[in-house]
Every structure is written in structure tokens, then in C-alpha cells.
Amino acid sequence: MAAMQMDPELAKSLFFEGATVVILNMPKGTEFGIDYNSWEVGPKFRGVKMIPPGIHFLHYSSVDKTNPRNVGPRTGFFLSLQQRGLVVLRWNAVQEEVDLSPAPEAEVEAMRANLQELDPFLGPYPYATLKKWVSLTNFISEATMERLQPESRQICAFSEVLPVLSLKHTKDRVEQNLPRCGTECKSYQEGLARLPEMKPKAGTEIRFSELPTQMFPAGATPAEITRHSMDLSYALETMLSKQFPSSPQDLLGELQFAFVCFLLGNVYEAFEHWQRLLNLLCRSEAAMVRHHALYIRLISILYHQLGEVPADFFVDIVSQNNFLTSTLQVFFSSACSVAVNATLRQKAEKFQAHLTKKFRWDFEAEPEDCAPVVVELPEGVETG
């Protein structure tokens, strides 16, 4: 880790007040990082010191010993660090991962007593990017972190998956209407159909909240079903009341958690969850009136998140449709109306102008939502 220029008094204060994460036996050449910075581990590396208290994301990629250019997929984990806290971890050479099992208390205390001797082997936390990190994680509480992270606590770019059915024997494949393994494959589609159904290994999935699947109340009329399919406020209110009854802003913490897992953990499923959450929030017009404080915070979150991605990142490579512009277009149309809180309206107008100037996104064209909406009615509901 490269040396950083820091005021001597600040450095002294941080040395005694900041947290320390010790990672023993991490192989030389491993790509290791904390929050926004990463480095190639040298032979003397033992961890990171002077870490500000709060939520942090540590991540690493192992390298091939015979060919250091071959870098494995990224794995990461969140830690909630206390002032003057000390966390002692070890590298598991067999699994090629950081062992997150807590070290014995006696070992931690012995390490604490020798921190000054260990100091030359600890890299300082990169304070130059702290402000950016805080802006991306300020709504992630320790409770949100514990609720969402996998049971294994390891967040992997490529999760380990297992077949839903083992299909060890020919009769197993026959029971699933699958051809014998040696049977010639006649098309790409047939080849895909032959692949076993897979599921993530238990304990490895990020435990994201379930989004509502029914967007309207039971017994809704066809007109109400259409309205709830265009304005998703009912679905959002259902989610808030069931999963975030005491603190709606924890939904924003989950939005930030998903974005960090994608941006720094390279987890594509987290990006998909981020998109679904954002779509639900942005298309809930009535909820903007009731939860204006939530939406003011959402604008701030999006301002910082969108500063981390290129302008064309959200464009679908097949359809060339930009998910974000179409979603935000609906949001701005609702947030800039006279019905919403004045502060929210002003912030939405400024944010729209900022995105238009920075990315040259056009929010003035008629949104696709103005086109007729075809809604599938539940069984038994008639249009009259």
C-alpha cells in the first residue's frame, strides 16, 4: 500500500482513535481493498489502521501463484467498526479466502497490546476518498448490514451454485424429461434446456427484501387495477408497512447496500435489485406526497450514485433504451408537480437540470408511460 501524505497531528489522533483491521497471512500479490481503494498486497502487509468508525466494505481477489496476471473474482464483506476497535482475521489458504470467524479474545488483546510494533505493517486508511464513501453509505445502519448480508458474510461476485436436483443417474434425467447425457444436441435452445436448474448455495445469497408481486389490493376493480399498475404507491406502501414499519429510510439503506455490492463487489444480482427498488420508488406518485422527506433523501442518494457511473451505463445493449432516463422521467413528472412538497419539488427540478447538463439526458420527451397500458386482470374480474 502506497504511503499517504497526512498532517502529523491528524495522523497521531487517528492512530489512537481509529479502528484497525488485522489480516494475517494474506498472500503477496493478492488484490485487497477497503471501500473505494484497492492495492496489491506486499510481503509485509498485515492489515489497515486508522479506519474511521462506521460501516466499511473490505474486498479482495486472489491471484494465481503460477501466473499473477490471472486474478480471481472479487469477494468482499462488510464490517461495522467501533472507535479504537480491533478486528483480527486470517487468510484461509485452502479456501483462498479471508476467514471471518472471530479470533479468540485473548489473541485480540495480545494484538492490541502490540499494535505499535505492528504499525509498520499496517497501511493507513485512504482518507482522501472517505467523503465519497460516506455519501454512498450514510443510510446503511449496522442493523441493515446484518439483515442483508449473506449468512456466510462473504459477498461473492460469482456465487457458488448447486443443482436443484442432483440428476446423478440416468433415471433421474428421464424423470425430469431430459435426454441421456450422450444424446446428440440438435440446437442451441435444446442445449440450454438440458442444463440443470441451479440455485445459490445455502447461506451465500444476499438477503434482499422481497418486493411486492401484487400491485393492487384484493377485490380491486378494473379501473383501480389500471391505476395501481401506473402509480405503484400501493405496492410501495405495502412494502414499507410490512418490512420497514418503524423506519422507512431503511429502504434507502438497502438501496445503497445494493449499489455498493454491485459497484465494488461486482455482484450483478445486486444491480438488478437496485433497479427494481428504484423503479418502485420512482413510479409511486401518491407516495411522494406522503413521504416527501424520504424522496428528498432519495434525490441526494441518486446524485452521489450516478456520479460513479458513465452516462451510457444504463443503456440496454439490445433495445438501446435507457432504464434510468425512462424511470427518472416518470419521477420528475410526479415530483415537479404542484401537489408535492415545495422543498422536494425544488430539489427535483435542480436534480433534473443537473442530469440534463452532465449526461445530456432528455427528460422532456413524452414518457412511454403516457402510451396506453395493457393490464392483465386477475381471474374472475370482469370489465363490465
Side-chain angles (χ1 to χ4, degrees):
M1 298 173 69
M4 294 175 56
Q5 295 297 320
M6 189 180 297
D7 178 76
E9 287 302 314
L10 175 61
K12 183 178 179 181
S13 171
L14 293 174
F15 177 80
F16 290 106
E17 300 299 322
T20 302
V21 175
V22 174
I23 304 178
L24 302 174
N25 307 322
M26 182 170 274
K28 175 185 176 182
T30 302
E31 287 189 3
F32 170 80
I34 179 169
D35 301 341
Y36 245 91
N37 294 74
S38 59
W39 310 268
E40 182 179 308
V41 167
K44 296 182 179 181
F45 175 79
R46 298 292 183 276
V48 184
K49 61 184 177 181
M50 300 194 268
I51 308 172
I55 302 294
H56 295 279
F57 185 65
L58 289 81
H59 43 90
Y60 58 90
S61 301
S62 12
V63 295
D64 189 333
K65 294 178 182 177
T66 58
N67 185 1
R69 287 188 232 177
N70 288 343
V71 180
R74 179 169 286 187
T75 300
F77 54 93
F78 284 89
L79 289 177
S80 179
L81 300 175
Q82 308 302 316
Q83 189 174 23
R84 304 183 188 181
L86 173 61
V87 176
V88 179
L89 304 170
R90 275 186 169 76
W91 180 262
N92 184 322
V94 177
Q95 299 293 330
E96 292 192 314
E97 66 181 23
V98 175
D99 185 349
L100 299 180
S101 305
E105 190 62 31
E107 181 183 359
V108 174
E109 290 309 311
M111 197 80 69
R112 187 186 301 278
N114 293 301
L115 267 182
Q116 286 196 327
E117 286 76 11
L118 195 62
D119 182 65
F121 306 98
L122 301 173
Y125 180 86
Y127 269 75
T129 56
L130 175 61
K131 187 176 180 181
K132 180 188 290 188
W133 171 250
V134 170
S135 71
L136 292 175
T137 58
N138 56 327
F139 289 103
I140 305 177
S141 64
E142 183 174 357
T144 296
M145 179 195 79
E146 294 291 349
R147 177 175 61 86
L148 295 175
Q149 67 181 352
E151 292 177 8
S152 66
R153 296 176 57 201
Q154 302 273 13
I155 295 174
C156 305
F158 296 100
S159 299
E160 185 177 351
V161 293
L162 299 171
V164 174
L165 300 171
S166 60
L167 303 178
K168 292 181 179 178
H169 307 288
T170 300
K171 67 180 182 66
D172 297 327
R173 298 184 62 82
V174 172
E175 289 172 0
Q176 297 300 314
N177 294 319
L178 295 173
R180 291 172 174 269
C181 291
T183 308
E184 182 182 356
C185 183
K186 298 181 180 179
S187 69
Y188 176 73
Q189 287 74 17
E190 183 183 332
L192 290 177
R194 289 191 188 187
L195 295 174
E197 183 182 354
M198 308 297 284
K199 63 179 180 181
K201 182 180 178 181
T204 64
E205 317 104 300
I206 301 175
R207 295 173 291 180
F208 288 127
S209 301
E210 289 189 19
L211 272 66
T213 53
Q214 181 162 318
M215 316 310 281
F216 48 83
T221 65
E224 290 171 336
I225 291 172
T226 300
R227 176 166 58 84
H228 288 303
S229 298
M230 297 179 67
D231 180 349
L232 306 184
S233 296
Y234 172 80
L236 177 60
E237 295 286 3
T238 300
M239 186 176 185
L240 290 175
S241 62
K242 288 185 176 180
Q243 302 185 51
F244 306 95
S246 58
S247 181
Q249 76 173 24
D250 285 344
L251 178 63
L252 301 181
E254 183 163 335
L255 188 75
Q256 289 186 324
F257 188 96
F259 190 80
V260 168
C261 287
F262 168 68
L263 183 70
L264 299 178
N266 301 337
V267 181
Y268 185 71
E269 291 81 1
F271 174 62
E272 292 182 315
H273 186 71
W274 179 85
Q275 284 186 305
R276 289 193 291 268
L277 276 181
L278 189 60
N279 182 68
L280 180 62
L281 284 162
C282 288
R283 296 179 186 272
S284 297
E285 182 175 359
M288 294 180 199
V289 178
R290 291 190 290 271
H291 300 285
H292 60 268
L294 183 78
Y295 279 89
I296 289 172
R297 295 181 181 117
L298 174 63
I299 290 174
S300 175
I301 288 171
L302 290 176
Y303 173 83
H304 294 292
Q305 288 182 344
L306 299 189
E308 304 306 313
V309 292
D312 61 350
F313 179 80
F314 298 96
V315 177
D316 186 286
I317 59 174
V318 177
S319 67
Q320 291 299 302
N321 289 329
N322 187 322
F323 154 80
L324 202 57
T325 55
S326 59
T327 302
L328 289 178
Q329 189 173 34
V330 177
F331 171 69
F332 289 135
S333 175
S334 301
C336 295
S337 70
V338 293
V340 302
N341 173 269
T343 302
L344 172 58
R345 184 167 65 250
Q346 291 169 4
K347 286 189 175 293
E349 290 170 350
K350 288 182 179 179
F351 186 44
Q352 179 177 347
H354 164 74
L355 293 178
T356 301
K357 181 178 179 180
K358 181 173 182 178
F359 295 124
R360 300 184 185 279
W361 288 344
D362 179 15
F363 296 107
E364 300 302 324
E366 183 174 298
E368 294 179 4
D369 298 66
C370 291
V373 176
V374 178
V375 178
E376 289 190 17
L377 300 179
E379 191 174 338
V381 175
E382 298 181 356
T383 57

